[in-house]
Amino acid sequence: MVPKRSKPQYVSISPLMLRADSRVPFDVFLRHEGNYVLFNAAGMTLTGGQCRELAANSVNNVYIDKRSLDSYRTYLNEYITGILDDEGIPLDKRAEAWSNAAAMLGKELYEDKLPGPTFEKRYHRFEQLITSTAGFIQSPKPLKHLSGFISKGYNIYHHGISTMVYSMALMHEFGYQDFKILSCGMGALLHDIGKIGLPQDIVTKDPAELSGDEAAVLQLHPMVGARTCSCFNLSSIASNCILFHHERADGKGYPTKAGSEDIPQYVQIICLCNAYDTLTRNMPYRKALRPFEALKTIMDDDGMVEKPLLKRFVEMLSRAEIM
Ligand SMILES: [Fe+2]
């Protein structure tokens, strides 16, 4: 007996994400008088004429079965460069498309607990996405829209992606070369990977509530992360970002207690963006702070980061209208 297939649940997507002359691997529906009508069948090429028809009829939403979401994300990832370059698509939609693509690749990257051949392949796939979209991530205009999407989610990869975006944008402000921004971006993405093997009750506990022994375990994660990533070809710049992301300008951080004179500026940028994203993200033990509250917390924590660096960060967020 053929098992019954459950009823589809439709979710809306923007028709602007569908690229003319692309093969679309999922069914696309239109809504007409309360019914969902097939517009383009899975596997068929969407023609320019169909795209023009949607635009001419001012169709703002098309629909896909919720079970096709993974397939939709894969499709988005394949066409992401064209989508980001398309000035006809509103910036918030482009930022959403980028965030979806990054979240999909980040999720699959973190599914591998111990970096092996699959991890390396997935790492390079993510790196390819970042390389081809670096211009978009670093531009001041998309940052406002990106910040709305990347601030959501509890997983380590959500926090990694967000830390990466802020770090790359801030490094761009300082005029770093592209290869260094990319290396730091990948380091920022992976900075907390050492938390994966640690007891999750320690990782998700309010840091202020940790016992001395628990804090000592948690503080191992930069070293565990750097060691975990040492078995594949990660740049020394990215390794430094992982290893030193909890250091402080006043030398009271961990694991080495190096002060700002010994920490390269690019690492200090990761430290700052890591702190900012942690504070502005919902955590199991507290609600997210608003951007200005988070910045005030960092400002009041004398010695966490160098003041001129914090000032540049505040200026960047303010220009992006994030505060
Ligand atoms: Fe961390």
Side-chain angles (χ1 to χ4, degrees):
M1 196 171 141
V2 182
K4 254 192 178 175
R5 191 172 152 83
S6 58
K7 271 191 164 181
Q9 280 183 289
Y10 296 99
V11 290
S12 67
I13 62 167
S14 168
L16 299 172
M17 298 301 149
L18 301 174
R19 312 306 291 164
D21 303 320
S22 67
R23 189 189 153 275
V24 182
F26 44 84
D27 287 335
V28 179
F29 299 86
L30 294 176
R31 191 143 190 231
H32 182 65
E33 295 177 352
N35 295 314
Y36 293 92
V37 182
L38 187 62
F39 177 69
N40 193 71
M44 299 298 288
T45 297
L46 188 80
T47 64
Q50 282 174 294
C51 292
R52 283 191 292 278
E53 189 187 333
L54 292 172
N57 288 294
S58 307
V59 174
N60 291 321
N61 290 299
V62 292
Y63 298 83
I64 62 172
D65 186 343
K66 202 173 177 182
R67 288 168 294 197
S68 305
L69 273 177
D70 278 346
S71 174
Y72 171 59
R73 290 190 185 110
T74 307
Y75 172 84
L76 272 188
N77 192 40
E78 193 175 334
Y79 291 96
I80 192 71
T81 316
I83 292 171
L84 298 185
D85 287 344
D86 189 341
E87 301 275 335
I89 302 178
L91 208 44
D92 61 328
K93 295 287 178 199
R94 283 185 270 161
E96 185 178 8
W98 185 88
S99 304
N100 282 338
M104 183 189 73
L105 295 186
K107 184 172 180 241
E108 70 170 23
L109 182 65
Y110 272 79
E111 274 169 3
D112 272 330
K113 290 197 174 173
L114 289 171
T118 326
F119 182 90
E120 197 163 350
K121 206 167 90 186
R122 291 173 176 184
Y123 171 87
H124 288 301
R125 204 180 297 166
F126 199 105
E127 190 179 48
Q128 203 177 9
L129 171 74
I130 303 312
T131 309
S132 61
T133 60
F136 185 78
I137 303 170
Q138 295 160 20
S139 310
K141 281 186 180 170
L143 191 58
K144 176 187 178 181
H145 301 287
L146 281 172
S147 72
F149 296 111
I150 60 179
S151 63
K152 296 181 176 69
Y154 290 100
N155 288 301
I156 293 176
Y157 71 84
H158 289 123
H159 170 55
I161 289 169
S162 194
T163 306
M164 181 191 79
V165 168
Y166 289 118
S167 301
M168 289 178 71
L170 189 53
M171 286 185 76
H172 184 70
E173 287 273 312
F174 279 100
Y176 279 91
Q177 289 174 306
D178 289 348
F179 85 93
K180 205 158 188 175
I181 298 180
L182 178 66
S183 295
C184 284
M186 294 309 291
L189 171 74
L190 298 173
H191 75 272
D192 267 346
I193 199 166
K195 282 184 177 175
I196 284 180
L198 300 184
Q200 287 308 292
D201 56 328
I202 293 180
V203 171
T204 54
K205 200 169 174 180
D206 183 348
E209 303 284 315
L210 290 172
S211 69
D213 285 348
E214 288 172 330
V217 170
L218 183 67
Q219 290 183 8
L220 290 174
H221 79 270
M223 286 183 289
V224 173
R227 196 185 56 209
T228 305
C229 292
S230 66
C231 57
F232 73 101
N233 203 12
L234 193 66
S235 70
S236 59
I237 291 172
S239 294
N240 285 343
C241 294
I242 297 172
L243 187 57
F244 301 119
H245 74 269
H246 280 291
E247 301 294 356
R248 293 170 53 100
D250 60 9
K252 293 179 180 171
Y254 62 86
T256 68
K257 296 192 187 306
S260 59
E261 64 283 3
D262 296 318
I263 311 171
Q265 189 196 47
Y266 65 82
V267 174
Q268 294 182 44
I269 287 175
I270 306 292
C271 297
L272 169 58
C273 297
N274 169 43
Y276 173 79
D277 186 70
T278 303
L279 292 168
T280 51
R281 181 171 296 279
N282 279 321
M283 289 292 172
Y285 50 87
R286 63 142 175 78
K287 282 219 169 257
L289 299 187
R290 288 160 190 252
F292 76 89
E293 293 170 327
L295 291 170
K296 183 163 186 327
T297 303
I298 295 171
M299 216 170 284
D300 291 346
D301 188 350
D302 208 23
M304 184 200 276
V305 290
E306 293 285 350
K307 297 291 183 216
L309 177 62
L310 182 57
K311 187 168 172 274
R312 286 293 282 271
F313 187 54
V314 172
E315 284 167 1
M316 181 183 83
L317 295 184
S318 164
R319 264 203 316 282
E321 298 174 12
I322 288 174
M323 293 165 66

